[in-house]
């Protein structure tokens, strides 16, 4: 694909048609293959989309494959213990997503007769599912022609349609282009193509998303509360019952940080505490 080619930010039909042809040509030649693209069942897509939130594909793929072997459907996920859940999730980070995933499985079973809804508005009522994830689930699981933006899609449209713009580009400027270019007969393949093109652009050119109004840098992990939370959960998987002092010693993290993180985890349902001792669940 010609990465120097540029188009008008106004959704003109000639530009949109040419852009769509270029993207589809690129995908036919260089599209990637992932297990969640080969298995597009609603459960498979739901799990992969939650895993891919804020986590690199190279880390997700082996975790996804193991997950699908051991937890192949919504009922098995709903019945998974907290210890088993976190053991499978370990290495993906942002552990709240694991709890949200199990809560979603319970919601599917209790409120939707075991069938994942194919409506973005209904999916937005699921734990940890925002507008973009809800729409992407519908596109990839049900091939629905929904319109949404995520980081790779944003990168593609900023690069090709706003190359000279100095002011930050808002998603409100991008959405009409996403809607105009959407391949409505095969939205699943179209969005896969945009995702792959956005990933390639990131490796080839300075990140266009830095010119987005919505661009933020990810906070440092080292020394953060996330680091303490993850260390506590990992330590309790090795030794199921520990005091805050033991957790501090075993993780090498300051006692006060351990206490703050442990109290948060207890409130969220990751931990239970009794007589100054913490355990999972």
């Amino acid at each position: 694909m010609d990465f120097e080619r540029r188009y008008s930010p106004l959704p003109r039909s000639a530009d949109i048609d040419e852009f769509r042809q270029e993207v589809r040509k690129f995908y036919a030649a260089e599209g990637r293959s992932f297990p969640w693209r080969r298995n597009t069942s609603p459960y498979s897509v739901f799990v992969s989309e939650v895993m891919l939130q804020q986590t690199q594909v190279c880390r997700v793929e082996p975790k996804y494959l193991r997950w699908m072997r051991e937890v192949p459907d919504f009922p098995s996920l709903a019945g998974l213990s907290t210890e088993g859940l976190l053991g499978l999730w370990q290495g993906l980070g942002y552990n709240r997503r694991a709890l949200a995933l199990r809560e979603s499985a319970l919601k599917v079973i209790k409120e939707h007769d075991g069938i994942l809804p194919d409506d973005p508005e209904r999916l937005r009522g699921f734990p940890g599912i925002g507008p973009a994830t809800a729409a992407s689930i519908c596109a990839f699981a049900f091939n629905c022609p929904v319109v949404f933006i995520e980081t790779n899609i944003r990168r593609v449209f900023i690069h090709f349609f706003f190359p000279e713009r100095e002011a930050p580009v808002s998603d409100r400027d991008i959405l009409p282009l996403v809607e105009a270019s959407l391949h409505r007969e095969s939205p699943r393949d179209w969005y896969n193509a945009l995702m792959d093109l956005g990933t390639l652009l990131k490796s080839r050119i300075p990140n266009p998303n830095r010119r987005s109004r919505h661009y933020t840098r990810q906070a440092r992990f080292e020394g953060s509360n996330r680091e303490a939370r993850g260390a506590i959960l990992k330590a309790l998987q090795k030794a199921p019952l520990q005091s805050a002092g033991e957790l501090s010693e075993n993780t090498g993290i300051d006692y006060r940080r351990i206490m703050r993180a442990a109290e948060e985890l207890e409130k969220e349902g990751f931990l239970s505490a009794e007589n100054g001792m913490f355990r999972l669940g």
Side-chain angles (χ1 to χ4, degrees):
M1 186 174 185
D2 181 2
F3 296 121
E4 298 304 316
R5 191 189 301 272
R6 299 293 188 268
Y7 304 96
S8 168
L10 300 175
R12 300 187 305 193
S13 58
D15 284 340
I16 293 297
D17 287 345
E18 185 175 357
F19 171 71
R20 187 188 289 128
Q21 291 173 12
E22 286 292 313
V23 172
R24 295 181 68 187
K25 182 179 178 181
F26 157 80
Y27 187 59
E30 301 188 47
R32 299 176 296 174
S33 176
F34 296 115
W36 49 86
R37 290 186 180 178
R38 297 188 291 271
N39 177 4
T40 57
S41 71
Y43 176 74
S44 166
V45 170
F46 193 90
V47 169
S48 66
E49 285 298 308
V50 174
M51 286 184 170
L52 288 163
Q53 292 172 346
Q54 299 176 297
T55 306
Q56 294 177 330
V57 170
C58 60
R59 290 172 57 196
V60 168
E61 189 165 5
K63 295 290 183 180
Y64 166 88
L65 290 170
R66 181 187 173 193
W67 184 286
M68 293 299 292
R69 288 194 302 269
E70 299 189 23
V71 193
D73 50 34
F74 285 115
S76 57
L77 172 55
L80 199 61
S81 69
T82 300
E83 185 174 3
L85 181 71
L86 295 177
L88 285 170
W89 194 264
Q90 186 175 332
L92 290 172
Y94 298 95
N95 291 292
R96 288 190 188 94
R97 292 180 297 164
L99 281 187
L101 199 56
R102 186 175 61 183
E103 291 171 16
S104 292
L106 289 165
K107 188 177 179 72
V108 168
I109 292 167
K110 293 179 178 180
E111 300 179 21
H112 299 283
D113 298 322
I115 299 173
L116 187 70
D118 61 359
D119 175 17
E121 291 303 315
R122 295 173 74 185
L123 287 173
R124 285 176 65 176
F126 279 63
I129 301 299
T133 303
S136 64
I137 290 169
C138 288
F140 295 127
F142 303 107
N143 211 26
C144 295
V146 291
V147 176
F148 69 97
I149 298 175
E150 59 79 67
T151 186
N152 283 304
I153 294 171
R154 184 180 293 115
R155 186 179 296 118
V156 169
F157 282 91
I158 289 177
H159 175 69
F160 285 103
F161 289 90
F162 300 92
E164 308 299 332
R165 177 122 166 211
E166 294 183 2
V169 180
S170 170
D171 284 355
R172 288 180 295 180
D173 300 320
I174 297 173
L175 274 170
L177 296 164
V178 177
E179 183 168 14
S181 63
L182 177 61
H183 193 285
R184 296 183 180 275
E185 290 73 31
S186 186
R188 177 188 291 128
D189 287 343
W190 173 249
Y191 280 121
N192 280 334
L194 289 176
M195 300 284 190
D196 287 359
L197 181 53
T199 300
L200 183 62
L201 283 173
K202 186 177 180 180
S203 68
R204 294 279 184 89
I205 62 174
N207 188 2
N209 279 346
R210 294 179 184 273
R211 295 190 286 114
S212 167
R213 188 178 299 276
H214 313 279
Y215 177 74
T216 56
R217 290 181 178 272
Q218 189 173 29
R220 286 183 59 187
F221 178 74
E222 186 177 352
S224 69
N225 197 44
R226 285 195 299 121
E227 180 190 32
R229 290 165 59 96
I232 289 171
L233 296 175
K234 188 174 182 180
L236 288 174
Q237 289 177 58
K238 294 179 179 178
L241 190 64
Q242 298 186 52
S243 68
E246 289 171 327
L247 287 169
S248 176
E249 182 178 348
N250 291 333
T251 62
I253 295 174
D254 178 76
Y255 177 84
R256 289 171 295 180
R257 286 178 59 204
I258 287 292
M259 280 301 300
R260 285 197 300 269
E263 288 170 0
E264 285 183 6
L265 290 167
E266 184 183 2
K267 290 177 182 177
E268 294 168 11
F270 282 104
L271 305 183
S272 60
E274 186 177 349
N275 297 326
M277 304 295 287
F278 294 97
R279 70 168 70 246
L280 292 175

